[in-house]
Amino acid sequence: MKRRILIIEDEIDIARIVKDYLNINGYETAIAENGQDAWHLIHTLNPEFIILDLTLPDIDGIELCRQIREEVDTPILILSARGSDTDKVLGLGYGADDYMTKPFSFTELVARINAHLRRFESLEKKKENDSILQFGKNVIDKSAYKVTVDSKAVSLSAKEFELLYFLAKHKNQVFTKTQLLDAVWGYTNYGDENTITVYVRRIREKFEIDPSNPKYLKTIWGVGYKFSFDEE
């Protein structure tokens, strides 16, 4: 399947030349001549790469870059005649992954796109792999908020899952109740530490074969809890 690239450029002649060159190099492309059209195509086309000009009729390109980055992780390459250090610093600071000035080399443009797409794909695969934790026949899948114990699905509440995943992600590391409140609930000053005790008990009842003698979710007396797993 061809990779989708969105070209946000108000100079239509330049946009069409870039589009034609990228099409020749195996990409599927679309053109947006302003910020409004860009948002429509971002939501409908779901591009895998964005080429962004800074001079647009309805919005400054740097501001549009900031808005796009708040919503999606898609790689952004700014392609602009504005080549000052200030523009480059602002563009990269607001979320662009790369910056090229006009006039530019089409060969270099394609090389940079390819490099960013390879890097982005590698990061996405790493995220996907990191989201699945497996301990024997037990699996904790962060992407699906799904837990299976001995190949059977177990129903956990969102916070039960997040606490279990956090501890399992940091296997063999001991956390105090305060640290767990901060990591999972996001507060420490007014949190009730008994919340952790209750949630640990609930998780053990669902995740452990023998909740009174837990194999995974261990209590470290006087300190807190840890998730441990030793291959048998």
Side-chain angles (χ1 to χ4, degrees), residues 81-135:
R82 287 160 50 177
S84 71
D85 289 343
T86 299
D87 286 319
K88 292 178 181 178
V89 169
L90 286 174
L92 296 171
Y94 280 115
D97 298 275
D98 207 345
Y99 197 113
M100 291 181 68
T101 55
K102 302 173 183 176
F104 59 93
S105 160
F106 284 101
T107 303
E108 182 182 354
L109 174 63
V110 170
R112 292 196 189 195
I113 291 172
N114 289 338
H116 285 296
L117 285 173
R118 284 195 301 270
R119 178 176 176 274
F120 186 75
E121 184 176 353
S122 175
L123 290 173
E124 288 298 297
K125 286 182 179 179
K126 185 175 185 300
K127 286 180 184 178
E128 183 178 340
N129 292 335
D130 286 348
S131 72
I132 299 176
L133 306 177
Q134 185 163 1
F135 307 93

Side-chain angles (χ1 to χ4, degrees), residues 49-95:
F49 195 89
I50 295 173
I51 298 173
L52 172 63
D53 182 30
L54 294 185
T55 306
L56 299 172
D58 58 346
I59 187 173
D60 182 76
I62 289 177
E63 172 60 19
L64 180 58
C65 178
R66 183 190 68 79
Q67 293 177 8
I68 293 172
R69 181 54 70 235
E70 286 184 349
E71 185 165 325
V72 297
D73 293 328
T74 309
I76 301 171
L77 183 148
I78 291 176
L79 184 61
S80 176
R82 287 160 50 177
S84 71
D85 289 343
T86 299
D87 286 319
K88 292 178 181 178
V89 169
L90 286 174
L92 296 171
Y94 280 115

Side-chain angles (χ1 to χ4, degrees), residues 202-218:
R202 289 178 184 172
I203 294 169
R204 283 173 173 163
E205 289 172 353
K206 299 175 181 180
F207 192 77
E208 300 279 0
I209 294 175
D210 181 2
S212 61
N213 185 29
K215 177 180 179 181
Y216 301 102
L217 198 47
K218 305 288 184 64

Side-chain angles (χ1 to χ4, degrees), residues 12-13 16 18 53 81 89 91 95 126-127 138 161 207 229-230:
I12 194 61
D13 290 339
R16 286 173 177 166
V18 173
D53 182 30
V89 169
K126 185 175 185 300
K127 286 180 184 178
N138 301 343
F161 179 91
F207 192 77
F229 175 71
D230 298 318

Side-chain angles (χ1 to χ4, degrees), residues 20-39:
D20 290 343
Y21 194 84
L22 293 178
N23 288 347
I24 291 172
N25 281 271
Y27 292 106
E28 177 185 339
T29 56
I31 297 172
E33 298 182 45
N34 54 61
Q36 183 177 351
D37 291 346
W39 276 117

